[in-house]
Amino acid sequence: MNKTAVVILNWNGRDLMRKYLPSVIATSHATGGVDVIVADNASTDGSVEMLKSEFPSVGIIALDRNYGFAEGYNRALAQIGHSYVVLLNSDVATAEGWLQPLVSLMDSDPTVGACGPKLLDDKDHSRFEYAGAAGGYLDAYGFPFCRGRILDNVEADNGQYDDNADCLWVSGAALMTRRELYLSLGGLDTDFFAHMEEIDLCWRMRNKGWRIVAVTNGAKVFHLGGATLAQGNPRKTFLNFRNNLTMLVKNLNNKTWWLTLVIRMNIDSIALLRFLAGGEVRQSWAVLKAHIGFWWQIRKSLRKRATLKVGRSHEVVPEVRTYSMIWRRYAHKLNTFNTIDK
């Protein structure tokens, strides 16, 4: 059996796979010892038939229904036996040589639990892509940001982040991890369904002492983004807000974690009011529903926190910054990682 598997989760993405699979197959097989596998969430657009006809070298895991991003990957990875797995979105094109630096890092450093390549915009290869850019962090109140992306401000790639760096999370659009580690941690949280689940997974790894590394020196892929839910979609807003709060309950490792949560919820309320003032009623309703959904599952989230034994050491991982990224962005007018993260 090959050591590494590139696993693409698909749901009705036939046309995307036709466009993006050729680069993935060519560059992955060039690395050697790599299988490309599509896990299909019971697509109804003929995806599986197209794969069998046009891409016979690709392995197929046919799931019986649409399990969403999190459970779909959990079920797929439980069915294979590779040492390393790459979770790769179906709308990602891969550059020549993208995979070898990731495999080499995992081979050479047993403390690395997950890593990912530089993520560039497939619509403009000179710019980073929103979903993960060059490695992600969280601010003191759980807001994610990246080397190369602060909120909606995405930087041009001028080589400023070409040094590999420890981070808190790498994007689920292209994430390599150790399969046994992934399964031992329970994989992606299925209660998330989609969005923030890779940050939660990486944070759980960091709280267990594993390193997360953005491999931006020699490894890059190009992500289309928004193939499932576009920015501004109320469903995406709901999932992001709800899942972020749940993630904080599960993983915050400080004595006043509950106070951090209260502050974050008040910041969310400001966002709700801003949506409302701007006439974005559906977005404001999505934030409110997210808070209702969060409280609906709070007991389950607290049980998960207890199971993870978070908070016993109070050793906050350094990739969860102690400052407010939001404050520095709006009060100090800073909009790049290198100016904010000082």
Side-chain angles (χ1 to χ4, degrees):
M1 176 182 293
N2 286 326
K3 178 171 62 177
T4 304
V6 176
V7 183
I8 299 168
L9 191 71
N10 173 66
W11 181 70
N12 289 346
R14 179 187 60 191
D15 294 338
L16 282 175
M17 288 192 294
R18 273 199 176 115
K19 178 179 179 181
Y20 289 100
L21 262 179
S23 73
V24 176
I25 294 169
T27 57
S28 300
H29 288 174
T31 301
V34 179
D35 292 319
V36 177
I37 300 171
V38 171
D40 187 76
N41 259 330
S43 294
T44 57
D45 67 345
S47 288
V48 171
E49 292 76 15
M50 183 275 293
L51 289 170
K52 291 178 178 178
S53 172
E54 300 179 24
F55 300 100
S57 68
V58 171
I60 299 173
I61 298 174
L63 301 173
D64 61 338
R65 62 183 176 88
N66 183 9
Y67 289 98
F69 187 87
E71 189 171 355
Y73 263 120
N74 291 352
R75 286 175 174 265
L77 268 55
Q79 295 185 40
I80 61 177
H82 302 74
S83 298
Y84 306 148
V85 290
V86 180
L87 282 59
L88 190 73
N89 278 13
S90 60
D91 59 348
V92 169
T94 53
E96 183 178 353
W98 73 283
L99 192 52
Q100 188 56 55
L102 306 180
V103 174
S104 296
L105 176 65
M106 300 293 265
D107 282 343
S108 64
D109 192 336
T111 69
V112 176
C115 60
K118 180 192 295 187
L119 205 66
L120 297 173
D121 189 343
D122 191 46
K123 297 183 292 292
D124 181 354
H125 290 191
S126 69
R127 305 192 70 81
F128 289 102
E129 208 280 319
Y130 180 93
Y137 303 80
L138 291 180
D139 80 349
Y141 302 107
F143 287 99
F145 61 105
C146 310
R147 296 196 303 165
R149 190 266 292 177
I150 302 295
L151 297 178
D152 288 335
N153 184 68
V154 181
E155 298 177 48
D157 175 22
N158 297 312
Q160 68 270 43
Y161 305 117
D162 277 357
D163 54 319
N164 294 351
D166 281 54
C167 55
L168 182 70
W169 57 276
V170 291
S171 173
L175 182 155
M176 171 176 275
T177 186
R178 302 177 190 275
R179 192 186 68 91
E180 288 189 359
L181 172 63
Y182 177 100
L183 295 175
S184 72
L185 292 174
L188 298 169
D189 190 330
T190 58
D191 288 328
F192 282 40
F193 188 78
H195 297 294
M196 297 279 176
E197 67 288 316
E198 79 269 44
I199 303 179
D200 171 70
L201 175 66
C202 290
W203 198 352
R204 280 184 276 139
M205 289 183 184
R206 283 297 290 124
N207 279 339
K208 295 291 185 182
W210 293 88
R211 293 173 59 210
I212 313 298
V213 181
V215 184
T216 50
N217 185 0
K220 62 183 178 182
V221 300
F222 308 100
H223 184 216
L224 177 64
T228 304
L229 290 174
Q231 286 295 112
N233 184 300
R235 173 65 174 169
K236 189 168 191 171
T237 300
F238 165 78
L239 290 169
N240 277 329
F241 276 80
R242 185 200 64 177
N243 293 349
N244 192 284
L245 294 172
T246 299
M247 180 177 69
L248 294 180
V249 171
K250 289 177 59 181
N251 296 292
L252 272 172
N253 193 24
N254 58 50
K255 294 179 180 179
T256 57
W257 67 270
W258 55 270
L259 179 58
T260 302
L261 184 68
V262 170
I263 294 172
R264 172 55 194 267
M265 295 189 76
N266 278 281
I267 297 173
D268 285 358
S269 297
I270 295 172
L272 184 155
L273 293 173
R274 288 189 64 183
F275 280 135
L276 203 58
E280 299 181 79
V281 177
R282 294 180 66 203
Q283 292 283 46
S284 60
W285 176 234
V287 176
L288 179 58
K289 285 198 300 182
H291 279 220
I292 294 171
F294 163 72
W295 285 111
W296 182 261
Q297 61 185 23
I298 185 65
R299 293 179 65 181
K300 181 185 285 189
S301 300
L302 289 170
R303 287 196 297 269
K304 290 176 182 178
R305 177 181 178 84
T307 301
L308 293 169
K309 300 179 180 178
V310 174
R312 296 193 177 185
S313 67
H314 302 304
E315 294 178 1
V316 181
V317 296
E319 296 82 15
V320 179
R321 302 310 204 210
T322 56
Y323 57 80
S324 168
M325 177 270 294
I326 299 294
W327 177 258
R328 293 187 178 185
R329 171 66 185 91
Y330 290 110
H332 298 285
K333 309 298 182 184
L334 306 175
N335 62 3
T336 67
F337 178 85
N338 281 337
T339 57
I340 283 180
D341 196 65
K342 288 186 176 181

